[in-house]
Amino acid sequence: MNKITLYPDKKLHSLGDLWGIFFEDINHAADGGLYAELVQNRSFEFSKIDNWKYNSLTAWERIGNCEIEVKNEYPLNRNNTHYLALKLENGEGGVKNLGFNEGMNIIKGEEYEFSFYGRRNTGFKENVNIFLINKDTGAVIASESVKITSCDWEKYEGILLATEDATCHLCVTTSGKSTVYLDEISLFPPTYKNRDNGLRRDIATLLADLKPKFMRFPGGCLVHDGNLDPHARNALYRWKNTIGDVSERPARRSNWGYNQTLGLGYYEYFLFCEDIGAKPLPVLPAAYNPHHHDAVPFDELQPWIDDALDLIEFANGSADTKWGKIRAELGHSEPFNLEYLAIGNEEVGDGFFDRYPYFHKAIKEKYPEIKLIGSSGPFPCGGEFEKGWKCARDNKSEMVDEHYYVSPEWMIANNKRYFEYKKEDPKVFLGEYASWGNTFYNALCEAGYMTSMEMCGNVALACYAPLLCNVDYVNWKPDMIWFNGEKAYGTPNYYVQKMFMNNQGTAAIEHNVLSEKPSVPVADESITGEIFFKTVDTAAYFYDIKLNGETVNEKGFTLKNEGSQMQKLDYCGNLEDFELECKAKELDGKRGFIIRFGVKDYGNFYHWEFGGWQNQDSAVCSTVNYRESVLGHELRSVEKGREYTLRVVVNKNRICCYIDGELVHDVVSKPVVIEPIYTSASTDEDGRIILKVVNIKNTPYKATVDVQRTINSVKAQMLTGNLDDENSFDEPLKIAPSDIDVKFNGNIVEHEFSPCSVTVLVIG
Ligand code: AHR
């Protein structure tokens, strides 16, 4: 019989704030998502800079008899420069806003708060009508009218009471023979905790239900992709632009290809953290944009460092400090108790590593209690990753932010990754991670990985990414929660996160597992398969190709600059332990060379890309069932027209890649070995014991759990299903945990852990 023995008195380490969430406005997670505003392009600020399809009337349509024009001669303020001129000549006319998705989801009996800024020409005396129409039937389901009383901008507000459930458009019309000017036309449903300028209830509730210990925000690439000038529309994310009156927040280009109103800004983030009991964890740009290697000169760093210092004062300072006063004036006199601050998001390049120390020193001098988090790039390994760790060690950062998106098999193969970290090093903040996919199988492998994060003692904080996705605006997949204009649902990954967050425990405890059957290797660990040469949007000439020292194709071949091009290396068969050498020249295009090896089929192979992603990277990757994991990464660019000698040496599961004789990658693809069971054990503040058991295999695991003290109660939850199952709008709870009965007697729990399951036992 399998046996799990728990040692409740042997505490290993604190679990602190381990499980949290990461919010980034990607996939319309904020505008058109968590931020409850129903009007899209409310201030007529949409622009081609945000998205080539946008213009200042995006999401607006003219209705009735009028002329509409977006103007900027007499703006509302210097940040909100465009407004609508509605010119009436004959009868009624105006505009309607289409909202996000299919339209605005309006619920009968609910009150919707509208507001707009208006001004009129002297002759204009008519009412402005604000109403919701059912977009399918045209029926008016709520209406109000307002008199514009001034020739200067004034704010007008009111309530629309919905008389039916419908998908709607918001209309604003008037009549007469004159011109009226409108801006910042807004409509809010009842929000989470009834906050002004608040959040969508269903999505916020799904997040609150997780009970996260912290929330990382506001990004992601969103933070560090953009212009260094804070006033530029495509500026790096500057927090000071995001507080105060929403009509004065500048519109921003998001690198995710849309407009950010910044209506959900730093003050709202802090409030939401407080509302859901999560510690805030902001990420600030480090005066550097790694996507374009733009860096602020050292003698101009101070304003960026001040942004960090001022943010801490804004969050924690008393109301008689400059920024604490601003917070108090916004409605929060008490501090937000900021404890964590990250400088940079997955940074690569010396531009970051050279600047981070200035931030670190200044912050620690003024606020030694703030726990600072450095960055180690977008991959779990490689030169920039190592530099990130070195930078954090040298500066004594409390944590290093690691990010990776990998195959579920990578998570199985690397399950013990964090046990190998050194106790004396900074702790890990796993600020972004996910296996590629939202199936139950993904969630199961993530759960196995999470048990190790609880047990290793080297991971301080971790959060899955991305968090939210609007189904009609997908930038990135998978995501933890999916929504449309009407509904939201959690994926299996969400329910794994929820089980772990709801049952985190305060300290890990010692336990051991004795299994009858051994671990199971999933596949042969040697890399075997065919070889292909490939390019993407690039013309390249590969020639003088040698295999194990013998020339197999001297003349070579050219791949064209036409999307994705691939050529198989003939005569090589299913290679094992080989040495491939070739010459390569980039002739034209955007990237460099790709060599695929160990190719089993289109979805299962290894590759080395030299000159990948904006021709910046050299990376070795494995792909399992179409899902890629990076095994090695360095910054390297290909020069057009230059001849390179490329060499790949594969020995069992070790891959070495050379450029012109220089060893650039030396990596091992870890074998995928499924353990009989993955477990973590902890205690909570009430002295209960929490045992998490993840059974990735498709056979039951019957075990005796010896708790080594009398058991009074056991509450248990299990998540299981078919490996391919996903949740959906129609079946949002197809994969969701359910309560199960567990038998116990004296010190012993007897339980058969179901095949492919995640089980949490809370033992009182
Ligand atoms: O989570 C999606 C993106 O992945 C984040 O913006 C970025 O940090 C990472 O590359």
Side-chain angles (χ1 to χ4, degrees), residues 22 24 26 216 219-222 224 255-256 345-346 378 403 405 432 465-466 476:
F22 162 45
E24 176 172 25
I26 180 174
R216 175 181 188 243
C221 289
L222 180 93
H224 67 189
N255 64 301
W256 295 112
N345 163 68
E346 57 183 52
H403 292 182
Y405 298 91
E432 292 183 27
W476 187 287

